[in-house]
Amino acid sequence: MSFVLSGRRDVNIGAATRERVLTAARELGYHPHGPARQLAGGRSMTLGLVFRQTAEQVAVDALLAETLHGLAGAARASGFRVLIEPLPHDDGQYAELLRSQRVDGLVVSGPRADDEELTALVADEFPIVLQGSRPDLDIPSVDVDNRAAARRAVAHLIGLGHRRIACITNAPLAYTAAVDRRDGYREALEQAGLGYDPDLVAEGSFDAASGHATMTELLRRTTFSAAFVASDVVALGAIRGIRRSGRSIPGDVAVVGFDDVALAEHFDPPLTTVRVPARGIGQAAGRVLLDRVHGLSVPSRTLLPTELIVRESTGHQSIGNEVKERVSARGGAS
């Protein structure tokens, strides 16, 4: 029985016997201890990358290519490959990737606060690294300081004289990054002595269509002179919504995004945004996960710095010359 549960394939056990043991284990809710099973069964030499989004949402993720480049580079340097699984929170499971030994470890990107599958894998001590943050779990994470970066972006708008500033999140608030960026927006307002108005906040959902819909609704129900949109892709739709309402950018509404995707400087107007080191995040996540797979100690949290890139969407008129304000991993501007 132990040979079956540990995943051993070098022991001659009949298919029918193996299936009976696995069925009984599932009925009893038994799962083998992660590290012990890996030691018993050898390695797949594969790392898994799980996106808690639909395949369609992953397809429009403009930072994905850079993140994958960094992760795959770290994996290849150690003789590993990368398996990608786009899985929305309500459709499909990823725990079996580890439990069946198809992968030796997982990077979970875009973690949600309600992901019970992740909680169970952490309890079973499988090697997992978050590309994002779940402060309630004892699990290594690689990220940027989303709250500090959002706070700096909104402070930029406040410094330009804006007092009514809208916020569109990058994703539903079940995603921890969306909460952190919304909270950074709120903190910037409070630090400037401005009140937080829930009517100025709306939830985006990864894509430009959600940005267009939420901006249209915000413009219908309230007034503001600037908007912090916590994703450049969502901001693209928000800009369209502003234009379709007959308003100009930045004359009527200034816009700040988040991510600095490759096309951000080619938006009309070029987008002021927070630059996220996507390739560096992927590379760092891969290195931390490989260390975990090999049983080495790793830092509980790795934070990479961001930069605020000031362009014309907030009124900067020096075409071709970006203004960069670096935000360190500790959250301060420099």
Side-chain angles (χ1 to χ4, degrees):
M1 180 174 178
S2 62
F3 287 152
V4 174
L5 294 177
S6 65
R8 292 283 294 273
R9 295 292 178 178
D10 57 336
V11 179
N12 187 19
I13 300 173
T17 300
R18 186 182 296 274
E19 183 57 33
R20 283 197 300 271
V21 171
L22 292 174
T23 298
R26 283 193 295 268
E27 291 174 351
L28 292 170
Y30 173 79
H31 296 295
H33 183 267
R37 181 170 178 173
Q38 285 187 307
L39 289 173
R43 301 199 186 283
S44 68
M45 303 304 291
T46 302
L47 304 180
L49 174 59
V50 172
F51 293 96
R52 299 307 280 156
Q53 303 171 34
T54 66
E56 292 76 17
Q57 289 166 340
V58 170
V60 299
D61 186 335
L63 293 184
L64 174 59
E66 285 298 299
T67 302
L68 281 176
H69 187 96
L71 177 59
R76 282 196 301 269
S78 294
F80 283 69
R81 57 184 179 176
V82 177
L83 172 69
I84 303 170
E85 285 279 5
L87 293 171
H89 73 282
D90 57 353
D91 181 19
Q93 298 181 329
Y94 59 91
E96 194 58 24
L97 290 172
L98 279 168
R99 300 196 189 282
S100 66
Q101 293 182 285
R102 289 176 59 196
V103 300
D104 297 321
L106 282 180
V107 174
V108 178
S109 178
R112 292 174 55 100
D114 58 357
D115 190 345
E116 296 180 359
E117 195 171 12
L118 176 61
T119 302
L121 287 172
V122 172
D124 283 345
E125 300 182 30
F126 282 99
I128 299 175
V129 172
L130 291 187
Q131 188 176 302
S133 178
R134 274 283 300 270
D136 59 313
L137 294 180
D138 183 16
I139 181 172
S141 71
V142 176
D143 204 359
V144 297
D145 192 333
N146 284 288
R147 184 176 298 192
R151 191 167 59 240
R152 184 68 196 88
V154 177
H156 168 69
L157 292 171
I158 294 171
L160 294 173
H162 297 285
R163 294 299 178 265
R164 292 277 293 173
I165 303 171
C167 173
I168 299 176
T169 67
N170 55 308
L173 291 174
Y175 290 86
T176 55
V179 172
D180 286 343
R181 294 179 190 184
R182 189 277 314 273
D183 287 351
Y185 156 82
R186 182 171 189 162
E187 289 170 1
L189 295 177
E190 292 173 346
Q191 288 177 5
L194 303 176
Y196 174 80
D197 183 353
D199 283 343
L200 286 170
V201 180
E203 289 188 23
S205 187
F206 299 106
D207 57 23
S210 71
H212 179 262
T214 51
M215 178 57 75
T216 300
E217 174 60 19
L218 283 169
L219 289 169
R220 184 195 65 79
R221 75 187 188 207
T222 189
T223 59
F224 49 91
S225 64
F228 167 59
V229 187
S231 155
D232 289 353
V233 174
V234 176
L236 179 60
I239 288 170
R240 180 169 175 257
I242 294 169
R243 286 254 169 75
R244 292 199 68 175
S245 74
R247 295 170 173 84
S248 66
I249 305 165
D252 295 314
V253 181
V255 179
V256 173
F258 202 110
D259 291 332
D260 195 31
V261 301
L263 292 176
E265 64 179 312
H266 303 292
F267 283 14
D268 182 18
L271 184 65
T272 294
T273 186
V274 174
R275 177 171 292 170
V276 174
R279 185 179 299 193
I281 289 174
Q283 188 174 61
R287 288 173 176 168
V288 172
L289 182 56
L290 286 165
D291 283 348
R292 288 210 73 192
V293 167
H294 291 104
L296 303 177
S297 62
V298 299
S300 60
R301 194 173 189 205
T302 302
L303 287 178
L304 277 67
T306 60
E307 290 178 316
L308 178 65
I309 308 300
V310 180
R311 300 190 180 103
E312 292 172 71
S313 68
T314 55
H316 179 63
Q317 296 299 321
S318 298
I319 298 175
N321 295 314
E322 297 175 343
V323 177
K324 301 179 183 180
E325 299 179 22
R326 189 174 180 83
V327 179
S328 74
R330 295 185 298 276
S334 60

